[in-house]
Amino acid sequence: MPEVYQALELKFILLRRTVDASHKKATITVGNQLLCTVWSLSVPGTVTYAKAGVLRLELKGPACVPAGARVSLSQRHDKGGWRLVGVGMLTRGLPAAAATC
């Protein structure tokens, strides 16, 4: 079974245009809210580091993801929805703390 992570480090690329009226290239900066989708799991998170195609994302909940998994990155739209802005590949992650009963 894959590792359970609380934070992810990704290699990513941004799409040339977003799917909205502006048709501008999206930017990702520290503090942005992103929705990280891996397989069928969608987990929101906050960007803690973003430079030169590398991104660190602190997740709001745990995610069970194998190393090398492909993920999609969506950004919050002005009207409250999410728009696809990029894709990435998991390089490493910060394991989630083990739950105690």
Side-chain angles (χ1 to χ4, degrees), residues 13-18 22-27 75 85:
I13 57 170
L14 294 175
L15 301 176
R16 281 184 248 141
R17 294 187 295 172
T18 59
S22 67
H23 296 291
K24 296 179 189 174
K25 187 170 182 173
T27 58
Q75 204 168 38
V85 295

Side-chain angles (χ1 to χ4, degrees), residues 3 13-14 16 30-31 35 49 54-55 59 62 64 89 95 100:
E3 193 73 33
I13 57 170
L14 294 175
R16 281 184 248 141
V30 173
L35 184 68
Y49 176 84
V54 177
L55 171 75
L59 302 175
C64 184
M89 184 182 303
T100 58

Side-chain angles (χ1 to χ4, degrees), residues 4 9 18 23-24 28 30 37 43 45-47 49 52 57 71 74 88:
V4 178
E9 185 170 296
T18 59
H23 296 291
K24 296 179 189 174
I28 295 178
V30 173
T37 305
V43 182
T46 305
V47 177
Y49 176 84
L57 192 62
V71 300
S74 301

Side-chain angles (χ1 to χ4, degrees), residues 7-99:
L8 303 175
E9 185 170 296
L10 310 165
K11 287 183 183 178
F12 75 98
I13 57 170
L14 294 175
L15 301 176
R16 281 184 248 141
R17 294 187 295 172
T18 59
V19 184
D20 63 1
S22 67
H23 296 291
K24 296 179 189 174
K25 187 170 182 173
T27 58
I28 295 178
T29 57
V30 173
N32 278 12
Q33 296 291 317
L34 294 180
L35 184 68
C36 180
T37 305
V38 183
W39 298 331
S40 63
L41 176 68
S42 296
V43 182
T46 305
V47 177
T48 57
Y49 176 84
K51 284 193 181 175
V54 177
L55 171 75
R56 286 193 198 119
L57 192 62
E58 183 72 32
L59 302 175
K60 302 260 188 230
C64 184
V65 184
R70 305 260 319 175
V71 300
S72 64
L73 301 171
S74 301
Q75 204 168 38
R76 177 75 72 179
H77 189 260
D78 295 336
K79 297 177 183 172
W82 295 94
R83 296 288 187 243
L84 181 67
V85 295
V87 294
M89 184 182 303
L90 177 67
T91 55
R92 63 183 178 166
L94 176 68

